[in-house]
Amino acid sequence: SQQGEEDPQALSIQEGENATMNCSYKTSINNLQWYRQNSGRGLVHLILIRSNEREKHSGRLRVTLDTSKKSSSLLITASRAADTASYFCATPGGGGNKLTFGTGTQLKVEL
Amino acid sequence: DAGVIQSPRHEVTEMGQEVTLRCKPISGHDYLFWYRQTMMRGLELLIYFNNNVPIDDSGMPEDRFSAKMPNASFSTLKIQPSEPRDSAVYFCASSFVSSGEKLFFGSGTQLSVL
């Protein structure tokens, strides 16, 4: 079963605009991660935010975490065509290093 | 480091045939994961290993699926006999415990069972 649900399922924006994706999860977590998947490729880790953090930045990425609402958001600023990909949130579940992935948001950035 | 290496990249087989997928994790990583990705079910964890020992295989769909990790640098996922509903992209990923559970994924094996 999937722990995270991303919203929206698909997002189409123009280059230069910001893209925001949301993730909701069900159980308590100690961290939440975001991954990117380009078409036909494996997933690439983008950023990890711990449960005691509320916001984290990495380049053009900004991630927020609200543990009271069991939700996270990923903001990509000044998007580029190369940002076109699927984005997944992932949370640990069942102990150890077991990661459960959400349903993903398909982002398309048009020129 | 070359990253996680999976082979083959694509596999087309007929129903009933045995399929073996291979994975070489990143050197020094002590966790290895097998995931399956389909449009209908998304990314599903099949099994994971720690120090070559299977820890959780609750995601393995049926007895037709088996996975082994004979040493720290090699793992296989076998399907015998294969069925059309096994068609999916199979990913291998590895991680190093001190990396905070960040996973490094291979490029995947696209499996088509006809």
Side-chain angles (χ1 to χ4, degrees), chain B residues 10-29:
Chain B
H10 301 276
E11 177 81 31
V12 180
T13 190
E14 292 191 346
M15 184 173 64
Q17 297 297 306
E18 178 180 296
V19 175
T20 299
L21 311 180
R22 297 172 176 80
C23 175
K24 176 179 168 52
I26 293 173
S27 177
H29 282 194

Side-chain angles (χ1 to χ4, degrees), chain B:
Chain B
D1 202 316
V4 176
I5 299 172
Q6 291 187 247
S7 64
R9 191 78 173 87
H10 301 276
E11 177 81 31
V12 180
T13 190
E14 292 191 346
M15 184 173 64
Q17 297 297 306
E18 178 180 296
V19 175
T20 299
L21 311 180
R22 297 172 176 80
C23 175
K24 176 179 168 52
I26 293 173
S27 177
H29 282 194
D30 51 5
Y31 282 86
L32 184 139
F33 304 79
W34 283 100
Y35 282 87
R36 177 172 70 176
Q37 186 178 37
T38 60
M39 289 294 292
M40 290 296 294
R41 300 175 67 89
L43 272 159
E44 302 173 280
L45 177 63
L46 301 178
I47 185 171
Y48 79 95
F49 296 83
N50 178 216
N51 292 322
N52 314 338
V53 176
I55 303 301
D56 185 344
D57 65 354
S58 60
M60 296 286 262
E62 300 170 34
D63 290 345
R64 298 184 296 105
F65 286 69
S66 62
K68 294 181 180 179
M69 192 164 186
N71 57 62
S73 59
F74 184 65
S75 177
T76 60
L77 178 67
K78 186 176 292 186
I79 309 173
Q80 166 64 16
S82 58
E83 297 184 2
R85 60 193 166 123
D86 302 330
S87 297
V89 181
Y90 291 81
F91 288 103
C92 176
S94 68
S95 74
F96 180 45
V97 65
S98 71
S99 69
E101 304 171 335
K102 168 183 172 180
L103 296 188
F104 295 79
F105 280 79
S107 297
T109 294
Q110 173 83 57
L111 173 65
S112 296
V113 183
L114 307 177

Side-chain angles (χ1 to χ4, degrees), chain A residues 7-51:
Chain A
D7 168 58
Q9 285 189 325
L11 179 61
S12 184
I13 60 174
Q14 297 293 117
E15 197 171 47
E17 294 181 337
N18 295 342
T20 300
M21 288 157 267
N22 302 295
C23 168
S24 60
Y25 57 92
K26 298 174 184 173
T27 61
S28 295
I29 57 172
N30 56 25
N31 74 66
L32 185 142
Q33 303 177 40
W34 285 91
Y35 287 77
R36 183 187 73 227
Q37 183 180 31
N38 290 85
S39 180
R41 309 297 293 272
L43 282 77
V44 174
H45 182 268
L46 293 176
I47 195 166
L48 180 153
I49 186 166
R50 301 215 174 269
S51 59

